[in-house]
Amino acid sequence: MKRFLIPLAVFLVLVVFLAIGLNRDPREVPSPLVGKPAPDFSVPRLAEPGSFSPQDMKGKVWLLNVWSSWCVSCRQEHPLLVAFAKRNNLPIVGLSYKEVRGDDELSGKKMELDAETTLVKQRAAAWLSQHGNPYAHVALDVTGRVGIDYGVYGVPESYLIDKAGVIRYKQIGPITPEALEKKILPLIEQLEKQP
Amino acid sequence: MRLLTLLFSLALCAATASYAGEAKPLAQDPAVEARLQNISKELRCLVCQNETLADSHAALAEDLRVEVRELIKKGNSDQEVKDYLVARYGDFVLYRPKVAPSTWVLWFGPFLLLIAGIFGLLKFLKRRSSTEVVSELTAEQKARAAELLKQGDKV
């Protein structure tokens, strides 16, 4: 009888490991940037002259939301952001990610960077006026270069950044109401208390 | 009429010659491209996660290949390129997992299980072969057995 217990025990241990492993989502690649300073960048703004840099937000807790008009999940997430912006004081900065070259219908065309930037502005502005604008500022990542520095591998993604400019949380995919209630809002409360 | 046919076929040839395929990048350095291939095979595409960066057709993969090419041209070593991407995307971007305390079970676990299995098997075989040999019956016991068998036949 004892002889059969050992393989059974080993099997049960394997079942436990399998259960843990199968319940994890391989799409959620943990970001190595959490706990590190937000990478610096300088890109054009949508509605204001000059450029935007994360340095501009030092001293505030803020959310960087990476989005595009061709992204279906961003459309899904957007009402939550609009509602959030109305309720809270937290500034949300939209990062328009590959608005033109990321769109399958346009990606074949090669454009000069200036022309592409103009088209990015048109499309982003049109989309926001149609669906609501929760953003305090909109920064334009025309080429996707800023995305690479932030480890963006899909849209939408959001980063919660503290007053010192350190990334404290990354949301992969759209912000769900659960993630907002359970993870993001408590963390914002905590970060606001910091000097 | 013949001249017209000739002119028409010449025109057709000209048409095929003017087909513009995708332009090759201007300066394609074969050494850089070879290094790009090697490094990309060691990296994972994060969108199609079972493909290497070299094989994947995803947009992000194309972006990252361009990025790797730029890094190579700037004079980074293979390790520096990998470190650059790991700093942004984490260990998962390496196609072959790192050998580190967190992955020892992954790398060495199967061999340990194999050794444990072989060990267990040897122990089991040894136990089988060293069981007691059935001893021969004495002469007296043989006679008794023969009698009992005879009696059994009669019944």
Side-chain angles (χ1 to χ4, degrees):
Chain A
M1 185 57 195
K2 244 193 224 171
R3 211 180 300 164
F4 297 113
L5 283 181
I6 298 177
L8 182 64
V10 172
F11 176 69
L12 285 176
V13 168
L14 285 176
V15 167
V16 167
F17 272 111
L18 203 62
I20 297 174
L22 286 175
N23 277 319
R24 293 166 78 148
D25 183 359
R27 297 264 138 221
E28 293 201 356
V29 180
S31 174
L33 293 174
V34 174
K36 300 234 170 70
D40 201 18
F41 60 88
S42 177
V43 291
R45 293 173 184 243
L46 174 63
E48 302 141 319
S51 48
F52 175 86
S53 150
Q55 305 287 346
D56 300 344
M57 304 300 290
K58 277 263 171 77
K60 297 182 203 158
V61 180
W62 57 292
L63 190 75
L64 180 70
N65 174 248
V66 184
W67 68 281
S68 312
S69 73
W70 43 260
C71 154
V72 179
S73 308
C74 303
R75 176 79 186 83
Q76 191 191 354
E77 174 191 57
H78 209 66
L80 189 142
L81 287 175
V82 172
F84 180 78
K86 289 203 181 115
R87 277 185 1 230
N88 296 65
N89 270 333
L90 194 91
I92 309 179
V93 175
L95 182 71
S96 165
Y97 175 74
K98 292 173 69 179
E99 173 60 42
V100 165
R101 65 179 67 183
D103 190 342
D104 287 336
E105 291 175 21
L106 294 175
S107 57
K109 286 195 201 154
K110 287 277 173 204
M111 296 174 84
E112 287 289 330
L113 194 61
D114 283 341
E116 192 178 350
T117 307
T118 308
L119 187 57
V120 166
K121 286 186 183 176
Q122 279 174 6
R123 287 165 55 104
W127 197 85
L128 288 175
S129 70
Q130 194 186 348
H131 296 116
N133 188 354
Y135 302 123
H137 309 282
V138 179
L140 308 176
D141 183 12
V142 176
T143 59
R145 194 59 198 68
V146 177
I148 291 180
D149 276 339
Y150 275 75
V152 170
Y153 63 96
V155 225
E157 288 183 3
S158 305
Y159 300 80
L160 188 64
I161 301 174
D162 71 12
K163 295 181 183 177
V166 175
I167 296 177
R168 289 290 171 195
Y169 176 75
K170 177 180 178 182
Q171 174 76 19
I172 295 166
I175 299 178
T176 59
E178 297 81 53
L180 188 62
E181 293 301 314
K182 295 210 175 107
K183 294 191 190 143
I184 299 178
L185 287 175
L187 190 52
I188 292 175
E189 240 188 81
Q190 202 185 330
L191 295 175
E192 290 284 10
K193 290 189 188 142
Q194 282 177 347
Chain B
M1 199 50 212
R2 271 237 180 119
L3 182 61
L4 208 60
T5 325
L6 179 64
L7 283 175
F8 184 64
S9 3
L10 278 174
L12 273 177
C13 295
T16 55
S18 65
Y19 164 76
E22 209 176 281
K24 269 210 169 120
L26 280 174
Q28 238 189 359
D29 183 351
V32 169
E33 295 305 305
R35 273 189 72 196
L36 173 64
Q37 270 293 99
N38 282 335
I39 298 176
S40 304
K41 287 204 182 124
E42 290 287 313
L43 296 169
R44 187 189 304 268
C45 171
L46 289 149
V47 179
C48 316
Q49 292 177 336
N50 281 323
E51 292 192 325
T52 63
L53 196 64
D55 298 329
S56 175
H57 293 293
L60 180 69
E62 185 55 49
D63 287 351
L64 288 176
R65 281 194 294 266
V66 169
E67 187 67 21
V68 170
R69 190 182 286 126
E70 288 301 306
L71 290 170
I72 295 173
K73 283 190 184 156
K74 282 187 197 159
N76 288 290
S77 70
D78 285 7
Q79 190 55 48
E80 282 168 343
V81 173
K82 287 184 197 169
D83 289 345
Y84 182 92
L85 286 175
V86 170
R88 285 154 180 76
Y89 288 95
D91 288 338
F92 196 57
V93 78
L94 294 172
Y95 203 64
R96 196 193 309 257
K98 273 198 323 208
V99 183
S102 57
T103 56
W104 279 344
V105 180
L106 175 68
W107 279 105
F108 303 122
F111 298 110
L112 291 175
L113 281 177
L114 182 67
I115 292 170
I118 291 175
F119 185 68
L121 182 67
L122 287 173
K123 254 184 92 179
F124 177 71
L125 289 174
K126 245 180 112 184
R127 202 185 301 144
R128 287 264 308 260
S129 67
S130 66
T131 48
E132 287 221 359
V133 179
V134 177
S135 47
E136 283 277 337
L137 294 175
T138 64
E140 201 190 290
Q141 285 171 320
K142 277 188 189 162
R144 216 178 142 239
E147 263 224 50
L148 285 167
L149 284 167
K150 246 193 267 171
Q151 285 184 5
D153 279 340
K154 280 186 197 161
V155 171

